[in-house]
Amino acid sequence: CDALPLAPMEDPTEDPRLVSLVNDERARRTFAERELADARQQLATWRKRARKAEMAARFSLRLPGRDRTPVVPDAEVTGERPVYPAIRAVTSGAPAWFRLLCDTAPLEAVDEAALAGADLVVVGGGEVPPVLRNWLEWSPRQPLIAIAPSGRLTEALAVGGQVDLLVGEADLDAAMRLDVPSIHTSRWPAGASSSAEEVAASLDANRSSSPRRVAQQLLSAAGLDVPDAALALTAVAVTKRPDRVAALIDTLGSFRAVPLHVSVGTHGFEMTADAHQRLTDRFGDGLRVAAIDETWPLGKCMNYLMDDVRTPLWAKIDDDDHYGPRYLEEAVAEIDASGADLVGKHTHHLYDTDLDRTYLMESGFEHRPGAYVPGPTFVGRRRTWEEVPFAHRYARIDSTFVRGVSAIGMSVYSTSRFEFALGRGGEDHTWHVDESRYAAKGRLVGLGFTTEEIFLPA
């Protein structure tokens, strides 16, 4: 049969419209692949930066651009703060130390309306302000304390009425008499390297003649119902080692001369009934024991315990360091006298069990304000923790905390070198360094555990 000739098929690649469409799709795909590669590269870069930042935060490395100058208050707190600031006393001729007891205003500078709003009138010396003569005729009137009056003042008080409290010698009728107290303020020259005997003597004097003791005695004797001025403290300790619980209990039970509460967190285990009973027998209602989830970071454990602290002061106690019986007594005296928000021991002893040697570390930082104290020596006011809670981290929580305290302008004060030693070496301790660090940061003070160098005399 006759075949009809077939028309030649068109090559699609020769169609300009189809070629253009294919090329456009390839261009879009190439562009998308290039964008995806750039995004992956940027993601890898940011992940690398994030890892560096995480490591820097974990190990307290200073990131580039951070200000390395710690914030330290310009002026040292003088310590001349009244023990009872809510009590207002108008005074004339009163000794300077009375300003440490309560809020004061000069009697000569107040009118009768201001005088009527005062809680207490305190007079001394020989002068008789005119407003005092009128006040002596008031009925009723506030309690009157006369401190070593003489001359015309003695005559006015004898005529005007009975003195509620006479401090010192005078020929006057008084409801109660006391000797003139000596006020001990525990103040040391900045940077002074005190001896163990001097520190012990200061603490002995502070027990009976601190401004708090004198304020409690004088104001109560004058008839004012004042709250207890003693600064109670909560010792806060977190331990993750059951074998260190007994040593920790011994440490807590050895502290003296401080109204003490205790809060212990067992990190990842339950305290035995025997150990719990030992603590209960010693601290009674002032005890809190909490079993904490082992997955929690150390900073979260501390915040969990601190949230239940109700005393005005707290102390961080570590289970692998050495504390003397007067450690808390000194810390409370110094935080009260210095007015600091946080105290500790920048200059301190260190005992390494492997080397069996005692070192004195960071000499030259005793009795002075600064920006750093070691974490195991933290003793602070509760409001300090409220302003700067512990970071929820597994390590270096102490350095982060004290850096935060200093950074917001709160005051840090370093006390004496006594009554504390860091414990290092062996399997019991959590922090290890080479002996060269001891030589770089301190000096050898004795072979073995030198108690005579570390602790105050009994």
Side-chain angles (χ1 to χ4, degrees):
C1 62
D2 293 334
L4 296 175
L6 295 175
M9 295 184 64
E10 296 182 358
D11 186 354
T13 60
E14 297 299 325
D15 187 340
R17 186 175 61 85
L18 292 177
V19 170
S20 176
L21 287 173
V22 170
N23 287 340
D24 286 348
E25 181 63 28
R26 286 174 179 171
R28 285 194 294 271
R29 185 179 300 169
T30 301
F31 176 81
E33 289 175 350
R34 188 183 303 116
E35 286 291 301
L36 180 59
D38 291 343
R40 285 173 175 169
Q41 180 63 36
Q42 189 177 25
L43 180 61
T45 300
W46 281 108
R47 281 177 174 172
K48 186 176 180 180
R49 291 180 182 177
R51 284 195 297 269
K52 287 184 177 180
E54 183 182 0
M55 293 298 293
R58 179 171 296 181
F59 297 105
S60 298
L61 300 177
R62 295 189 179 277
L63 299 177
R66 177 181 291 176
D67 183 7
R68 295 174 179 269
T69 305
V71 178
V72 181
D74 294 331
E76 182 182 356
V77 180
T78 63
E80 293 191 359
R81 307 165 325 282
V83 175
Y84 293 107
I87 295 178
R88 186 70 181 274
V90 289
T91 66
S92 174
W97 53 258
F98 196 85
R99 293 196 303 269
L100 299 174
L101 310 188
C102 58
D103 183 24
T104 61
L107 182 59
E108 297 83 357
V110 301
D111 56 20
E112 289 194 356
L115 180 56
D119 302 300
L120 183 68
V121 175
V122 182
V123 294
E127 297 299 321
V128 184
V131 69
L132 178 64
R133 295 187 183 277
N134 296 333
W135 177 81
L136 289 171
E137 297 176 358
W138 289 9
S139 180
R141 51 183 171 78
Q142 300 96 322
L144 172 64
I145 298 179
I147 302 178
S150 62
R152 289 183 295 175
L153 179 60
T154 303
E155 297 173 1
L157 295 178
V159 174
Q162 184 172 342
V163 175
D164 295 283
L165 174 63
L166 176 62
V167 180
E169 296 293 331
D171 187 15
L172 283 174
D173 291 331
M176 181 170 289
R177 294 173 177 267
L178 293 174
D179 294 331
V180 177
S182 60
I183 303 290
H184 180 75
T185 58
S186 300
R187 301 296 291 163
W188 298 93
S193 181
S194 52
S195 68
E197 289 73 19
E198 290 172 330
V199 174
S202 176
L203 293 179
D204 290 339
N206 193 69
R207 284 186 179 181
S208 58
S209 58
S210 70
R212 292 189 173 275
R213 301 287 184 184
V214 173
Q216 184 87 43
Q217 181 185 29
L218 288 187
L219 299 181
S220 296
L224 285 136
D225 185 15
V226 294
D228 187 4
L231 286 174
L233 179 145
T234 299
V236 180
V238 177
T239 179
K240 63 179 182 180
R241 294 169 292 188
D243 60 307
R244 296 297 302 171
V245 170
L248 179 61
I249 293 174
D250 290 340
T251 296
L252 295 171
S254 69
F255 294 133
R256 305 195 322 240
V258 174
L260 184 60
H261 298 243
V262 166
S263 184
V264 178
T266 54
H267 195 191
F269 67 95
E270 294 276 352
M271 182 178 290
T272 66
D274 206 30
H276 195 290
Q277 188 60 49
R278 284 184 60 195
L279 284 170
T280 303
D281 292 343
R282 174 66 176 81
F283 299 105
D285 294 338
L287 171 68
R288 180 196 181 195
V289 176
I292 302 176
D293 191 322
E294 64 179 349
T295 63
W296 283 16
L298 180 56
K300 186 175 181 179
C301 299
M302 283 295 300
N303 288 336
Y304 178 71
L305 296 180
M306 284 294 304
D307 192 53
D308 200 45
V309 169
R310 295 295 177 263
T311 55
L313 302 179
W314 60 275
K316 182 176 181 290
I317 304 297
D318 283 7
D319 64 359
D320 56 358
D321 296 315
H322 310 279
Y323 299 85
R326 306 191 77 172
Y327 167 78
L328 290 181
E329 181 185 2
E330 181 196 13
V332 171
E334 293 292 356
I335 200 171
D336 194 31
S338 68
D341 298 293
L342 182 74
V343 302
K345 294 183 180 292
H346 195 158
T347 299
H348 57 274
H349 290 91
L350 181 149
Y351 173 68
D352 191 296
T353 56
D354 292 339
L355 302 173
D356 195 25
R357 294 178 179 179
T358 301
Y359 297 84
L360 180 64
M361 310 297 292
E362 305 282 359
S363 296
F365 291 95
E366 296 178 78
H367 306 298
R368 63 185 300 176
Y372 170 78
V373 288
T377 69
F378 285 170
V379 178
R381 304 179 189 274
R382 191 181 191 280
R383 68 167 183 263
T384 305
W385 169 79
E386 291 170 351
E387 292 287 335
V388 187
F390 288 95
H392 285 192
R393 294 164 55 178
Y394 290 91
R396 303 280 181 167
I397 69 164
D398 298 335
S399 57
T400 305
F401 177 83
V402 73
R403 189 171 65 235
V405 168
S406 179
I408 66 172
M410 302 183 85
S411 54
V412 180
Y413 185 82
S414 178
T415 67
S416 79
R417 64 189 182 276
F418 301 108
E419 292 293 282
F420 172 79
L422 283 172
R424 295 294 178 254
E427 296 296 326
D428 290 338
H429 303 295
T430 59
W431 191 82
H432 303 270
V433 297
D434 187 80
E435 186 181 1
S436 60
R437 177 181 172 87
Y438 303 155
K441 292 285 189 177
R443 60 182 175 85
L444 180 68
V445 294
L447 302 178
F449 187 75
T450 55
T451 56
E452 66 278 5
E453 292 283 344
I454 299 170
F455 300 131
L456 297 174

